[in-house]
């Protein structure tokens, strides 16, 4: 008999009762150090007082009116995101997949609006992950996600990761945009080299193609910049983001330049729940914290401390961890042993982490962690690696 909850997840047999900062606590009092953050979602940890206060106050005022009317929180958050980024305009969504869908539609509409209806192809990088809707899956292009869902949505061309020559070779008059993650998350925390991002930006400018950056996982301070594209000193045409922007409340956003969004006129796109007052209140509260003077600089310094500390464990246990990549508090541990073994060993020491492709384990702690939390992680990770080494040697 099928379960009442559709059984599409391989869940760990545990449930959490509440959280406190970077800690999750079960009903029987077991405390887990959360270096998963709901897969980069709980950007400010659990029960952050500013978020709790803001959501509680908004819940007592107004939950939903629909986008038939002005929503003041939308206008405020959009203005703040525009001021802090490349963008001129923002569309609010409920998830990363919806943000990606908006970005794809916007890129295609941009060219149609200019009389080029046959210009609709999007180039993406192999091993990417852009979401679970049919168009997002087609953009992702991975067989294990596409299998069994019928014909693949047309209009997407995959090229090898970080292969500039291959990307240039498939760009034609039908190319509407290039869609990429500046750091592939599900794909193994693989950063696209900054020099390649700059070359792609130049090529897009030369060919009249839009650059679409997927910042669903890497955005909203995770790397120590508000958006990861900033490390390459470029500006995209469209950015899709979600996850950390709501600090745990479901929301996302699609940011764009005025030119890129020029075809998106009234009636071309919409959302029932996107940008509702509850989400906007929380999104503004998250931005309050992220934009505090020194906050992102602290993410950089804490990320460097975390990376250096894990590198010491890698030196001690090279048969477990062979390398580290990523930026800020978005780190991937390339494993020598099966990555599921390290995830389980960390779990046994009550540390939560996330697996990824290329035999990688992701560390995605809340952005509010400090030195004490790094030290606690290192203590538990050292124990986990010691146990795992003994098990593998037996």
């Amino acid at each position: 008999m099928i379960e009442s909850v559709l059984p599409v997840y391989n869940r760990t047999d545990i449930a959490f009762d509440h959280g406190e900062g970077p800690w999750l606590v079960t009903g029987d009092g077991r405390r887990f150090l959360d270096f998963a953050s709901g897969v980069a979602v709980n950007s400010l940890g659990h029960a952050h007082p500013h978020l709790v206060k803001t959501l509680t106050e908004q819940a007592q005022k107004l939950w939903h009116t629909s986008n038939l009317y002005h929503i003041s929180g939308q206008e405020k958050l959009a203005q703040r995101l525009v001021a802090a980024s490349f963008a001129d305009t923002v569309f609010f969504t409920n998830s990363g997949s919806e943000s990606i869908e908006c970005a794809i539609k916007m890129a295609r509409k941009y060219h149609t609006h200019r009389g080029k209806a046959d210009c609709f192809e999007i180039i993406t990088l192999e091993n990417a992950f852009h979401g679970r809707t049919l168009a997002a899956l087609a953009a992702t292009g991975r067989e294990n996600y596409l299998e069994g869902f019928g014909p693949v949505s047309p209009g997407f061309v995959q090229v090898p990761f970080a292969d500039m020559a291959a990307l240039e070779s498939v760009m034609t008059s039908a190319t509407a945009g290039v869609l990429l993650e500046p750091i592939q998350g599900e794909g193994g925390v693989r950063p696209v080299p900054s020099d390649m991002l700059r070359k792609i930006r130049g090529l897009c400018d030369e060919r009249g193609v839009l650059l679409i950056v997927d910042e669903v996982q890497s955005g909203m301070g995770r790397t120590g910049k508000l958006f990861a594209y900033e490390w390459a000193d470029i500006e995209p045409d469209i950015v899709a983001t979600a996850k950390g922007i709501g600090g745990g409340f479901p929301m996302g956003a699609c940011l764009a330049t005025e030119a890129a969004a020029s075809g998106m006129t009234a009636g071309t796109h919409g959302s029932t729940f996107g940008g509702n007052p509850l989400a906007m209140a929380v999104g503004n509260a998250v931005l309050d914290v992220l934009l505090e003077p020194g906050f992102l600089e602290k993410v950089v310094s804490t990320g460097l401390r975390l990376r250096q500390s894990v590198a010491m464990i890698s030196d001690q246990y090279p048969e477990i961890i062979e390398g580290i990549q990523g930026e800020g508090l978005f780190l991937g541990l390339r494993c020598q042993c099966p990555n599921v073994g390290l995830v389980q060993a960390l779990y046994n020491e009550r540390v939560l982490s996330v697996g990824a492709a290329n035999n990688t384990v992701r560390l995605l702690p809340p952005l509010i962690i400090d030195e004490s939390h790094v030290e606690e992680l290192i203590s538990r990770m050292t124990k986990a690696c010691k146990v795992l080494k003994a098990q593998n040697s037996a």
Side-chain angles (χ1 to χ4, degrees):
M1 181 182 297
I2 194 169
E3 299 172 15
S4 57
V5 176
L6 191 68
V8 294
Y9 301 109
N10 290 318
R11 301 178 191 268
T12 301
D13 189 19
I14 193 171
F16 295 104
D17 178 74
H18 63 279
E20 306 161 356
W23 297 92
L24 279 169
V25 187
T26 62
D28 59 4
R30 287 174 291 160
R31 293 170 60 85
F32 285 74
L33 187 58
D34 186 5
F35 269 57
S37 297
V39 193
V41 168
N42 298 101
S43 52
L44 302 182
H46 303 282
H48 190 284
H50 184 49
L51 270 61
V52 171
K53 180 176 182 290
T54 300
L55 182 59
T56 301
E57 290 176 351
Q58 183 60 48
Q60 294 171 344
K61 293 165 59 179
L62 193 64
W63 290 24
H64 179 76
T65 61
S66 91
N67 285 296
L68 295 173
Y69 314 103
H70 286 282
I71 298 172
S72 60
Q74 269 191 41
E75 294 163 6
K76 178 181 178 181
L77 183 54
Q79 289 166 1
R80 297 175 77 189
L81 288 170
V82 164
S85 74
F86 75 100
D88 299 310
T89 190
V90 183
F91 180 84
F92 292 106
T93 69
N94 305 288
S95 68
S97 290
E98 289 179 52
S99 297
I100 289 292
E101 291 281 332
C102 179
I104 292 168
K105 290 178 67 176
M106 186 179 289
R108 290 178 173 178
K109 192 69 170 176
Y110 167 85
H111 292 283
T112 302
H113 188 62
R114 285 158 175 72
K116 298 174 65 178
D118 59 346
C119 186
F120 63 89
E121 287 187 346
I122 307 289
I123 299 172
T124 64
L125 306 186
E126 289 179 355
N127 216 40
F129 182 80
H130 296 298
R132 296 280 188 170
T133 60
L134 289 175
L137 285 175
T140 296
R142 291 203 231 168
E143 288 297 324
N144 58 319
Y145 290 130
L146 290 164
E147 184 179 357
F149 294 111
V152 178
S153 298
F156 298 94
V157 179
Q158 275 82 38
V159 298
F161 179 81
D163 188 333
M164 189 67 197
L167 190 152
E168 188 168 0
S169 72
V170 300
M171 190 175 284
T172 69
S173 60
T175 303
V178 176
L179 168 62
L180 57 83
E181 302 157 277
I183 302 176
Q184 289 189 338
E186 298 285 336
V189 194
R190 297 198 301 174
V192 178
S194 290
D195 62 338
M196 182 175 177
L197 287 175
R198 289 188 285 268
K199 288 177 182 177
I200 293 173
R201 174 71 276 179
L203 181 63
C204 287
D205 289 340
E206 179 185 319
R207 303 287 183 90
V209 170
L210 297 182
L211 176 57
I212 311 162
V213 177
D214 180 343
E215 296 263 12
V216 170
Q217 191 162 153
S218 60
M220 304 314 294
R222 177 123 313 259
T223 68
K225 299 279 190 183
L226 190 61
F227 294 107
Y229 72 77
E230 298 176 57
W231 290 105
D233 196 26
I234 62 165
E235 290 192 346
D237 299 296
I238 304 171
V239 159
T241 194
K243 290 187 180 288
I245 192 172
F249 197 97
M251 68 170 294
C254 183
L255 293 73
T257 64
E258 182 176 4
S262 58
M264 302 299 283
T265 54
T268 57
H269 197 52
S271 171
T272 297
F273 293 107
N276 70 76
L278 288 171
M280 295 300 94
V282 176
N284 273 298
V286 169
L287 214 55
D288 289 342
V289 178
L290 295 186
L291 297 182
E292 285 179 356
F295 183 87
L296 292 178
E297 289 80 3
K298 185 173 183 295
V299 171
V300 172
S301 61
T302 305
L304 180 60
R305 172 76 175 99
L306 175 62
R307 188 187 193 110
Q308 291 171 338
S309 299
V310 175
M312 293 174 62
I313 296 179
S314 176
D315 290 341
Q316 187 177 359
Y317 295 99
E319 61 279 280
I320 307 296
I321 302 170
E322 64 176 358
I324 308 157
Q325 54 199 23
E327 193 73 55
L329 294 175
F330 187 7
L331 296 183
L333 314 183
R334 297 193 312 276
C335 296
Q336 185 67 32
C337 65
N339 63 342
V340 293
L342 181 55
V343 170
Q344 183 62 50
L346 288 169
Y347 177 82
N348 292 343
E349 297 298 330
R350 298 188 181 178
V351 174
L352 303 180
S353 60
V354 188
N358 292 322
N359 205 35
T360 301
V361 172
R362 279 173 284 179
L363 297 181
L364 303 164
L367 306 183
I368 48 85
I369 64 167
D370 59 29
E371 184 93 3
S372 68
H373 302 121
V374 173
E375 291 177 359
E376 187 66 39
L377 170 80
I378 296 309
S379 173
R380 296 179 185 220
M381 182 179 285
T382 301
K383 294 176 184 176
C385 288
K386 181 178 180 180
V387 170
L388 195 54
K389 179 180 179 180
Q391 289 175 347
N392 293 342
S393 301

